[in-house]
Amino acid sequence: MKTVAELEAKLSEASDRLIDDLNKVDGDLLILGAGGKMGPSLARLAVQAIKAGGMKKKVIAVSRFQDQEIKNELEAGGIHTISSDLLDDGDLKQLPYADNVIYMAGNKFGTTGREHFTWAMNAYLPGRVAEKYKDSRIVVFSSGNVYPFSPVGLGGVDESVTPEPVGEYAQSTLGRERIFEYFSHKYGTPMLIYRLNYAIDLRYGVLLEIAKKVHEGKPVSLAMGHANVIWQGDANEIALRSLLKCQSPPEILNVTGPETMSVRWVAQQFAERFGLAPLLEGSESETALLSNAAKAHREFGYPKVSLLEMIDFIAEWVEGGGDTWNKPTHFSERKGRF
């Protein structure tokens, strides 16, 4: 892949499994917070699956849409868009009902110094949304950041592990989960808590950050020596298929790739492709923020795009000067300061 158009086409490839599952889900799909990093590609994937399956569902994308170009592109792709500030009660009240809701709204970066806004987005707004859509199915995007760090050799924590969030972003993210959980108990709303880390697009993500540092001859920190990653197209498919797994009390699902990925190894992989020697800084910690997604793999199968394929995609993208976003993941942050 060398162009954004090729990338978007790859991200919106709908599998037969996704088409079959969406056929089993009644009603339209509403995506709240659809203007972020993953929302546009998730909306496009949903539309492709609906078209391929000959379904009569609408996909409605809701966001502030500060980037008008994204809004225009989604509409050109057959997606209905609504510009809305979800924290504005008037805007929220005017949103249409939908049987199926993907909740992607939230705030992470810029939390430090603006904690009040992060808590409003991540813990107050969920209650407003849960009240409005109490009769819907809701897949609630969350994060592996709610978990404690774990020893690298244990293969990550599964859904049975009690959250121990570090820092206000992670704490407020757990707040989001608990608020949705409360309303699921109150109304019997079927939900699934979708704990993701880390989605990979060619324009942003953990692998891109490592690749760019290697390519530019900058040191790669080993402070967070291991991580989990998953191709964004696979992560989006799991989110859509998770509509069938919603229940009350909410189901909890870790979503990531199967590997405990070594940052040192990935830097060396990129270095080989670029014909360079990687600069490595520091040494690996004994613990890392790692999730075990065996449950998701049992339910939905293993990701279609492998780690080595992602590395190949990104190496080609970086060498070709592909478009990138200035949206760092800060995956190496160990004190929860975002």
PDB file of all heavy atoms in Angstrom, residues 61-95:
ATOM      1  N   ALA A  61     -22.936   8.494  11.457  1.00  0.00           N
ATOM      2  CA  ALA A  61     -21.709   8.872  12.157  1.00  0.00           C
ATOM      3  C   ALA A  61     -21.905  10.225  12.830  1.00  0.00           C
ATOM      4  O   ALA A  61     -22.265  11.207  12.173  1.00  0.00           O
ATOM      5  CB  ALA A  61     -20.539   8.933  11.172  1.00  0.00           C
ATOM      6  N   VAL A  62     -21.655  10.276  14.132  1.00  0.00           N
ATOM      7  CA  VAL A  62     -21.855  11.498  14.919  1.00  0.00           C
ATOM      8  C   VAL A  62     -20.514  11.946  15.489  1.00  0.00           C
ATOM      9  O   VAL A  62     -19.786  11.156  16.081  1.00  0.00           O
ATOM     10  CB  VAL A  62     -22.854  11.263  16.063  1.00  0.00           C
ATOM     11  CG1 VAL A  62     -23.025  12.523  16.897  1.00  0.00           C
ATOM     12  CG2 VAL A  62     -24.193  10.778  15.525  1.00  0.00           C
ATOM     13  N   SER A  63     -20.212  13.231  15.318  1.00  0.00           N
ATOM     14  CA  SER A  63     -18.968  13.790  15.826  1.00  0.00           C
ATOM     15  C   SER A  63     -19.060  15.309  15.783  1.00  0.00           C
ATOM     16  O   SER A  63     -19.945  15.864  15.122  1.00  0.00           O
ATOM     17  CB  SER A  63     -17.782  13.317  14.973  1.00  0.00           C
ATOM     18  OG  SER A  63     -16.578  13.970  15.344  1.00  0.00           O
ATOM     19  N   ARG A  64     -18.125  15.968  16.444  1.00  0.00           N
ATOM     20  CA  ARG A  64     -18.030  17.416  16.243  1.00  0.00           C
ATOM     21  C   ARG A  64     -17.610  17.727  14.812  1.00  0.00           C
ATOM     22  O   ARG A  64     -17.909  18.777  14.277  1.00  0.00           O
ATOM     23  CB  ARG A  64     -17.008  18.018  17.215  1.00  0.00           C
ATOM     24  CG  ARG A  64     -17.422  17.994  18.673  1.00  0.00           C
ATOM     25  CD  ARG A  64     -16.412  18.781  19.516  1.00  0.00           C
ATOM     26  NE  ARG A  64     -16.735  18.734  20.934  1.00  0.00           N
ATOM     27  CZ  ARG A  64     -16.262  17.825  21.776  1.00  0.00           C
ATOM     28  NH1 ARG A  64     -15.458  16.863  21.336  1.00  0.00           N
ATOM     29  NH2 ARG A  64     -16.591  17.854  23.060  1.00  0.00           N
ATOM     30  N   PHE A  65     -16.882  16.799  14.198  1.00  0.00           N
ATOM     31  CA  PHE A  65     -16.376  16.956  12.831  1.00  0.00           C
ATOM     32  C   PHE A  65     -15.666  18.294  12.657  1.00  0.00           C
ATOM     33  O   PHE A  65     -16.013  19.116  11.803  1.00  0.00           O
ATOM     34  CB  PHE A  65     -17.494  16.791  11.791  1.00  0.00           C
ATOM     35  CG  PHE A  65     -17.953  15.377  11.614  1.00  0.00           C
ATOM     36  CD1 PHE A  65     -19.263  15.016  11.906  1.00  0.00           C
ATOM     37  CD2 PHE A  65     -17.075  14.397  11.177  1.00  0.00           C
ATOM     38  CE1 PHE A  65     -19.690  13.700  11.757  1.00  0.00           C
ATOM     39  CE2 PHE A  65     -17.488  13.076  11.019  1.00  0.00           C
ATOM     40  CZ  PHE A  65     -18.802  12.733  11.314  1.00  0.00           C
ATOM     41  N   GLN A  66     -14.642  18.479  13.474  1.00  0.00           N
ATOM     42  CA  GLN A  66     -13.821  19.677  13.345  1.00  0.00           C
ATOM     43  C   GLN A  66     -13.077  19.690  12.016  1.00  0.00           C
ATOM     44  O   GLN A  66     -12.702  20.750  11.529  1.00  0.00           O
ATOM     45  CB  GLN A  66     -12.858  19.761  14.526  1.00  0.00           C
ATOM     46  CG  GLN A  66     -13.585  19.955  15.859  1.00  0.00           C
ATOM     47  CD  GLN A  66     -12.674  19.830  17.056  1.00  0.00           C
ATOM     48  OE1 GLN A  66     -11.733  19.035  17.057  1.00  0.00           O
ATOM     49  NE2 GLN A  66     -12.945  20.609  18.098  1.00  0.00           N
ATOM     50  N   ASP A  67     -12.868  18.511  11.442  1.00  0.00           N
ATOM     51  CA  ASP A  67     -12.286  18.397  10.106  1.00  0.00           C
ATOM     52  C   ASP A  67     -13.421  18.147   9.114  1.00  0.00           C
ATOM     53  O   ASP A  67     -13.934  17.034   9.011  1.00  0.00           O
ATOM     54  CB  ASP A  67     -11.266  17.251  10.072  1.00  0.00           C
ATOM     55  CG  ASP A  67     -10.498  17.176   8.757  1.00  0.00           C
ATOM     56  OD1 ASP A  67     -10.982  17.725   7.752  1.00  0.00           O
ATOM     57  OD2 ASP A  67      -9.424  16.549   8.740  1.00  0.00           O
ATOM     58  N   GLN A  68     -13.816  19.173   8.387  1.00  0.00           N
ATOM     59  CA  GLN A  68     -14.942  19.068   7.457  1.00  0.00           C
ATOM     60  C   GLN A  68     -14.666  18.069   6.346  1.00  0.00           C
ATOM     61  O   GLN A  68     -15.596  17.442   5.815  1.00  0.00           O
ATOM     62  CB  GLN A  68     -15.242  20.444   6.852  1.00  0.00           C
ATOM     63  CG  GLN A  68     -16.457  20.490   5.933  1.00  0.00           C
ATOM     64  CD  GLN A  68     -17.772  20.239   6.654  1.00  0.00           C
ATOM     65  OE1 GLN A  68     -17.912  20.596   7.829  1.00  0.00           O
ATOM     66  NE2 GLN A  68     -18.729  19.625   5.981  1.00  0.00           N
ATOM     67  N   GLU A  69     -13.398  17.889   6.011  1.00  0.00           N
ATOM     68  CA  GLU A  69     -13.044  16.958   4.937  1.00  0.00           C
ATOM     69  C   GLU A  69     -13.451  15.533   5.287  1.00  0.00           C
ATOM     70  O   GLU A  69     -13.931  14.780   4.439  1.00  0.00           O
ATOM     71  CB  GLU A  69     -11.546  17.027   4.648  1.00  0.00           C
ATOM     72  CG  GLU A  69     -11.103  16.186   3.459  1.00  0.00           C
ATOM     73  CD  GLU A  69      -9.627  16.316   3.144  1.00  0.00           C
ATOM     74  OE1 GLU A  69      -8.982  17.233   3.686  1.00  0.00           O
ATOM     75  OE2 GLU A  69      -9.124  15.495   2.352  1.00  0.00           O
ATOM     76  N   ILE A  70     -13.254  15.151   6.547  1.00  0.00           N
ATOM     77  CA  ILE A  70     -13.654  13.806   6.974  1.00  0.00           C
ATOM     78  C   ILE A  70     -15.163  13.646   6.825  1.00  0.00           C
ATOM     79  O   ILE A  70     -15.650  12.621   6.317  1.00  0.00           O
ATOM     80  CB  ILE A  70     -13.221  13.551   8.431  1.00  0.00           C
ATOM     81  CG1 ILE A  70     -11.705  13.477   8.532  1.00  0.00           C
ATOM     82  CG2 ILE A  70     -13.855  12.257   8.956  1.00  0.00           C
ATOM     83  CD1 ILE A  70     -11.192  13.328   9.949  1.00  0.00           C
ATOM     84  N   LYS A  71     -15.920  14.639   7.235  1.00  0.00           N
ATOM     85  CA  LYS A  71     -17.378  14.602   7.121  1.00  0.00           C
ATOM     86  C   LYS A  71     -17.798  14.434   5.664  1.00  0.00           C
ATOM     87  O   LYS A  71     -18.661  13.601   5.330  1.00  0.00           O
ATOM     88  CB  LYS A  71     -17.974  15.882   7.708  1.00  0.00           C
ATOM     89  CG  LYS A  71     -19.500  15.914   7.812  1.00  0.00           C
ATOM     90  CD  LYS A  71     -19.934  17.188   8.522  1.00  0.00           C
ATOM     91  CE  LYS A  71     -21.421  17.155   8.881  1.00  0.00           C
ATOM     92  NZ  LYS A  71     -22.296  17.224   7.692  1.00  0.00           N
ATOM     93  N   ASN A  72     -17.177  15.199   4.780  1.00  0.00           N
ATOM     94  CA  ASN A  72     -17.516  15.120   3.355  1.00  0.00           C
ATOM     95  C   ASN A  72     -17.190  13.753   2.777  1.00  0.00           C
ATOM     96  O   ASN A  72     -17.962  13.190   1.981  1.00  0.00           O
ATOM     97  CB  ASN A  72     -16.772  16.202   2.577  1.00  0.00           C
ATOM     98  CG  ASN A  72     -17.215  17.604   2.946  1.00  0.00           C
ATOM     99  OD1 ASN A  72     -18.303  17.794   3.488  1.00  0.00           O
ATOM    100  ND2 ASN A  72     -16.384  18.595   2.658  1.00  0.00           N
ATOM    101  N   GLU A  73     -16.041  13.201   3.173  1.00  0.00           N
ATOM    102  CA  GLU A  73     -15.635  11.886   2.662  1.00  0.00           C
ATOM    103  C   GLU A  73     -16.589  10.800   3.137  1.00  0.00           C
ATOM    104  O   GLU A  73     -16.929   9.886   2.371  1.00  0.00           O
ATOM    105  CB  GLU A  73     -14.210  11.575   3.109  1.00  0.00           C
ATOM    106  CG  GLU A  73     -13.148  12.420   2.414  1.00  0.00           C
ATOM    107  CD  GLU A  73     -11.763  12.178   2.996  1.00  0.00           C
ATOM    108  OE1 GLU A  73     -11.648  11.427   3.994  1.00  0.00           O
ATOM    109  OE2 GLU A  73     -10.793  12.749   2.454  1.00  0.00           O
ATOM    110  N   LEU A  74     -17.019  10.860   4.385  1.00  0.00           N
ATOM    111  CA  LEU A  74     -17.952   9.866   4.895  1.00  0.00           C
ATOM    112  C   LEU A  74     -19.286   9.942   4.150  1.00  0.00           C
ATOM    113  O   LEU A  74     -19.856   8.920   3.773  1.00  0.00           O
ATOM    114  CB  LEU A  74     -18.166  10.055   6.391  1.00  0.00           C
ATOM    115  CG  LEU A  74     -16.968   9.724   7.297  1.00  0.00           C
ATOM    116  CD1 LEU A  74     -17.293  10.034   8.749  1.00  0.00           C
ATOM    117  CD2 LEU A  74     -16.540   8.274   7.146  1.00  0.00           C
ATOM    118  N   GLU A  75     -19.780  11.143   3.938  1.00  0.00           N
ATOM    119  CA  GLU A  75     -21.037  11.300   3.220  1.00  0.00           C
ATOM    120  C   GLU A  75     -20.930  10.788   1.789  1.00  0.00           C
ATOM    121  O   GLU A  75     -21.860  10.155   1.270  1.00  0.00           O
ATOM    122  CB  GLU A  75     -21.461  12.770   3.235  1.00  0.00           C
ATOM    123  CG  GLU A  75     -21.908  13.247   4.611  1.00  0.00           C
ATOM    124  CD  GLU A  75     -22.226  14.721   4.644  1.00  0.00           C
ATOM    125  OE1 GLU A  75     -21.905  15.429   3.660  1.00  0.00           O
ATOM    126  OE2 GLU A  75     -22.808  15.179   5.650  1.00  0.00           O
ATOM    127  N   ALA A  76     -19.778  11.026   1.166  1.00  0.00           N
ATOM    128  CA  ALA A  76     -19.566  10.526  -0.194  1.00  0.00           C
ATOM    129  C   ALA A  76     -19.556   8.998  -0.228  1.00  0.00           C
ATOM    130  O   ALA A  76     -19.868   8.391  -1.264  1.00  0.00           O
ATOM    131  CB  ALA A  76     -18.250  11.074  -0.749  1.00  0.00           C
ATOM    132  N   GLY A  77     -19.221   8.373   0.905  1.00  0.00           N
ATOM    133  CA  GLY A  77     -19.195   6.917   0.996  1.00  0.00           C
ATOM    134  C   GLY A  77     -20.512   6.299   1.424  1.00  0.00           C
ATOM    135  O   GLY A  77     -20.561   5.104   1.728  1.00  0.00           O
ATOM    136  N   GLY A  78     -21.566   7.099   1.479  1.00  0.00           N
ATOM    137  CA  GLY A  78     -22.879   6.557   1.822  1.00  0.00           C
ATOM    138  C   GLY A  78     -23.185   6.528   3.304  1.00  0.00           C
ATOM    139  O   GLY A  78     -24.128   5.848   3.744  1.00  0.00           O
ATOM    140  N   ILE A  79     -22.423   7.282   4.081  1.00  0.00           N
ATOM    141  CA  ILE A  79     -22.621   7.323   5.537  1.00  0.00           C
ATOM    142  C   ILE A  79     -23.352   8.613   5.888  1.00  0.00           C
ATOM    143  O   ILE A  79     -22.962   9.702   5.443  1.00  0.00           O
ATOM    144  CB  ILE A  79     -21.264   7.258   6.256  1.00  0.00           C
ATOM    145  CG1 ILE A  79     -20.568   5.929   5.938  1.00  0.00           C
ATOM    146  CG2 ILE A  79     -21.430   7.440   7.764  1.00  0.00           C
ATOM    147  CD1 ILE A  79     -19.073   5.948   6.110  1.00  0.00           C
ATOM    148  N   HIS A  80     -24.399   8.505   6.671  1.00  0.00           N
ATOM    149  CA  HIS A  80     -25.115   9.684   7.145  1.00  0.00           C
ATOM    150  C   HIS A  80     -24.305  10.315   8.274  1.00  0.00           C
ATOM    151  O   HIS A  80     -23.860   9.616   9.185  1.00  0.00           O
ATOM    152  CB  HIS A  80     -26.504   9.304   7.657  1.00  0.00           C
ATOM    153  CG  HIS A  80     -27.358   8.644   6.635  1.00  0.00           C
ATOM    154  ND1 HIS A  80     -28.274   9.319   5.864  1.00  0.00           N
ATOM    155  CD2 HIS A  80     -27.426   7.345   6.233  1.00  0.00           C
ATOM    156  CE1 HIS A  80     -28.866   8.479   5.043  1.00  0.00           C
ATOM    157  NE2 HIS A  80     -28.379   7.265   5.246  1.00  0.00           N
ATOM    158  N   THR A  81     -24.112  11.620   8.238  1.00  0.00           N
ATOM    159  CA  THR A  81     -23.325  12.281   9.276  1.00  0.00           C
ATOM    160  C   THR A  81     -24.162  13.316  10.022  1.00  0.00           C
ATOM    161  O   THR A  81     -25.068  13.930   9.450  1.00  0.00           O
ATOM    162  CB  THR A  81     -22.082  12.978   8.691  1.00  0.00           C
ATOM    163  OG1 THR A  81     -22.487  14.058   7.853  1.00  0.00           O
ATOM    164  CG2 THR A  81     -21.222  12.001   7.902  1.00  0.00           C
ATOM    165  N   ILE A  82     -23.839  13.484  11.296  1.00  0.00           N
ATOM    166  CA  ILE A  82     -24.477  14.503  12.131  1.00  0.00           C
ATOM    167  C   ILE A  82     -23.371  15.215  12.905  1.00  0.00           C
ATOM    168  O   ILE A  82     -22.602  14.574  13.631  1.00  0.00           O
ATOM    169  CB  ILE A  82     -25.488  13.900  13.118  1.00  0.00           C
ATOM    170  CG1 ILE A  82     -26.608  13.171  12.372  1.00  0.00           C
ATOM    171  CG2 ILE A  82     -26.069  14.984  14.021  1.00  0.00           C
ATOM    172  CD1 ILE A  82     -27.579  12.431  13.288  1.00  0.00           C
ATOM    173  N   SER A  83     -23.265  16.524  12.740  1.00  0.00           N
ATOM    174  CA  SER A  83     -22.317  17.309  13.524  1.00  0.00           C
ATOM    175  C   SER A  83     -22.956  17.615  14.877  1.00  0.00           C
ATOM    176  O   SER A  83     -24.032  18.218  14.935  1.00  0.00           O
ATOM    177  CB  SER A  83     -21.967  18.609  12.804  1.00  0.00           C
ATOM    178  OG  SER A  83     -21.278  18.338  11.593  1.00  0.00           O
ATOM    179  N   SER A  84     -22.294  17.199  15.951  1.00  0.00           N
ATOM    180  CA  SER A  84     -22.907  17.310  17.263  1.00  0.00           C
ATOM    181  C   SER A  84     -21.845  17.375  18.345  1.00  0.00           C
ATOM    182  O   SER A  84     -20.835  16.663  18.290  1.00  0.00           O
ATOM    183  CB  SER A  84     -23.819  16.103  17.521  1.00  0.00           C
ATOM    184  OG  SER A  84     -24.378  16.133  18.812  1.00  0.00           O
ATOM    185  N   ASP A  85     -22.070  18.236  19.316  1.00  0.00           N
ATOM    186  CA  ASP A  85     -21.260  18.270  20.526  1.00  0.00           C
ATOM    187  C   ASP A  85     -22.011  17.439  21.565  1.00  0.00           C
ATOM    188  O   ASP A  85     -23.020  17.867  22.110  1.00  0.00           O
ATOM    189  CB  ASP A  85     -21.087  19.706  21.009  1.00  0.00           C
ATOM    190  CG  ASP A  85     -20.264  19.806  22.294  1.00  0.00           C
ATOM    191  OD1 ASP A  85     -19.919  18.747  22.866  1.00  0.00           O
ATOM    192  OD2 ASP A  85     -19.984  20.936  22.725  1.00  0.00           O
ATOM    193  N   LEU A  86     -21.544  16.249  21.831  1.00  0.00           N
ATOM    194  CA  LEU A  86     -22.276  15.333  22.696  1.00  0.00           C
ATOM    195  C   LEU A  86     -22.415  15.848  24.126  1.00  0.00           C
ATOM    196  O   LEU A  86     -23.323  15.423  24.847  1.00  0.00           O
ATOM    197  CB  LEU A  86     -21.601  13.959  22.696  1.00  0.00           C
ATOM    198  CG  LEU A  86     -21.594  13.224  21.349  1.00  0.00           C
ATOM    199  CD1 LEU A  86     -20.802  11.928  21.472  1.00  0.00           C
ATOM    200  CD2 LEU A  86     -23.003  12.944  20.878  1.00  0.00           C
ATOM    201  N   LEU A  87     -21.539  16.768  24.537  1.00  0.00           N
ATOM    202  CA  LEU A  87     -21.649  17.335  25.874  1.00  0.00           C
ATOM    203  C   LEU A  87     -22.726  18.415  25.960  1.00  0.00           C
ATOM    204  O   LEU A  87     -23.064  18.868  27.053  1.00  0.00           O
ATOM    205  CB  LEU A  87     -20.307  17.924  26.320  1.00  0.00           C
ATOM    206  CG  LEU A  87     -19.254  16.928  26.806  1.00  0.00           C
ATOM    207  CD1 LEU A  87     -17.935  17.641  27.072  1.00  0.00           C
ATOM    208  CD2 LEU A  87     -19.716  16.186  28.046  1.00  0.00           C
ATOM    209  N   ASP A  88     -23.259  18.810  24.816  1.00  0.00           N
ATOM    210  CA  ASP A  88     -24.345  19.785  24.775  1.00  0.00           C
ATOM    211  C   ASP A  88     -25.674  19.035  24.852  1.00  0.00           C
ATOM    212  O   ASP A  88     -25.992  18.233  23.971  1.00  0.00           O
ATOM    213  CB  ASP A  88     -24.265  20.603  23.483  1.00  0.00           C
ATOM    214  CG  ASP A  88     -25.307  21.703  23.409  1.00  0.00           C
ATOM    215  OD1 ASP A  88     -26.509  21.369  23.289  1.00  0.00           O
ATOM    216  OD2 ASP A  88     -24.928  22.879  23.445  1.00  0.00           O
ATOM    217  N   ASP A  89     -26.448  19.272  25.905  1.00  0.00           N
ATOM    218  CA  ASP A  89     -27.689  18.529  26.105  1.00  0.00           C
ATOM    219  C   ASP A  89     -28.642  18.684  24.932  1.00  0.00           C
ATOM    220  O   ASP A  89     -29.325  17.733  24.543  1.00  0.00           O
ATOM    221  CB  ASP A  89     -28.381  18.987  27.386  1.00  0.00           C
ATOM    222  CG  ASP A  89     -27.745  18.399  28.637  1.00  0.00           C
ATOM    223  OD1 ASP A  89     -26.928  17.475  28.489  1.00  0.00           O
ATOM    224  OD2 ASP A  89     -28.060  18.854  29.746  1.00  0.00           O
ATOM    225  N   GLY A  90     -28.696  19.882  24.351  1.00  0.00           N
ATOM    226  CA  GLY A  90     -29.573  20.107  23.208  1.00  0.00           C
ATOM    227  C   GLY A  90     -29.175  19.259  22.020  1.00  0.00           C
ATOM    228  O   GLY A  90     -30.028  18.650  21.361  1.00  0.00           O
ATOM    229  N   ASP A  91     -27.875  19.203  21.740  1.00  0.00           N
ATOM    230  CA  ASP A  91     -27.386  18.380  20.631  1.00  0.00           C
ATOM    231  C   ASP A  91     -27.683  16.908  20.883  1.00  0.00           C
ATOM    232  O   ASP A  91     -28.118  16.179  19.981  1.00  0.00           O
ATOM    233  CB  ASP A  91     -25.876  18.577  20.446  1.00  0.00           C
ATOM    234  CG  ASP A  91     -25.530  19.872  19.726  1.00  0.00           C
ATOM    235  OD1 ASP A  91     -26.448  20.682  19.482  1.00  0.00           O
ATOM    236  OD2 ASP A  91     -24.342  20.076  19.413  1.00  0.00           O
ATOM    237  N   LEU A  92     -27.424  16.458  22.113  1.00  0.00           N
ATOM    238  CA  LEU A  92     -27.625  15.049  22.430  1.00  0.00           C
ATOM    239  C   LEU A  92     -29.093  14.655  22.286  1.00  0.00           C
ATOM    240  O   LEU A  92     -29.415  13.594  21.736  1.00  0.00           O
ATOM    241  CB  LEU A  92     -27.133  14.762  23.852  1.00  0.00           C
ATOM    242  CG  LEU A  92     -27.166  13.303  24.314  1.00  0.00           C
ATOM    243  CD1 LEU A  92     -26.321  12.419  23.418  1.00  0.00           C
ATOM    244  CD2 LEU A  92     -26.699  13.200  25.766  1.00  0.00           C
ATOM    245  N   LYS A  93     -29.994  15.505  22.745  1.00  0.00           N
ATOM    246  CA  LYS A  93     -31.423  15.208  22.668  1.00  0.00           C
ATOM    247  C   LYS A  93     -31.908  15.076  21.225  1.00  0.00           C
ATOM    248  O   LYS A  93     -32.862  14.340  20.936  1.00  0.00           O
ATOM    249  CB  LYS A  93     -32.224  16.281  23.388  1.00  0.00           C
ATOM    250  CG  LYS A  93     -32.104  16.220  24.905  1.00  0.00           C
ATOM    251  CD  LYS A  93     -32.847  17.374  25.567  1.00  0.00           C
ATOM    252  CE  LYS A  93     -32.681  17.344  27.079  1.00  0.00           C
ATOM    253  NZ  LYS A  93     -33.329  18.506  27.730  1.00  0.00           N
ATOM    254  N   GLN A  94     -31.285  15.807  20.307  1.00  0.00           N
ATOM    255  CA  GLN A  94     -31.722  15.802  18.921  1.00  0.00           C
ATOM    256  C   GLN A  94     -31.231  14.593  18.126  1.00  0.00           C
ATOM    257  O   GLN A  94     -31.680  14.368  16.997  1.00  0.00           O
ATOM    258  CB  GLN A  94     -31.259  17.085  18.228  1.00  0.00           C
ATOM    259  CG  GLN A  94     -31.972  18.333  18.725  1.00  0.00           C
ATOM    260  CD  GLN A  94     -31.439  19.607  18.095  1.00  0.00           C
ATOM    261  OE1 GLN A  94     -30.700  19.567  17.120  1.00  0.00           O
ATOM    262  NE2 GLN A  94     -31.812  20.744  18.665  1.00  0.00           N
ATOM    263  N   LEU A  95     -30.327  13.812  18.696  1.00  0.00           N
ATOM    264  CA  LEU A  95     -29.813  12.651  17.957  1.00  0.00           C
ATOM    265  C   LEU A  95     -30.914  11.615  17.764  1.00  0.00           C
ATOM    266  O   LEU A  95     -31.757  11.409  18.643  1.00  0.00           O
ATOM    267  CB  LEU A  95     -28.639  12.024  18.707  1.00  0.00           C
ATOM    268  CG  LEU A  95     -27.357  12.849  18.794  1.00  0.00           C
ATOM    269  CD1 LEU A  95     -26.283  12.081  19.542  1.00  0.00           C
ATOM    270  CD2 LEU A  95     -26.856  13.260  17.417  1.00  0.00           C
TER     271      LEU A  95
END
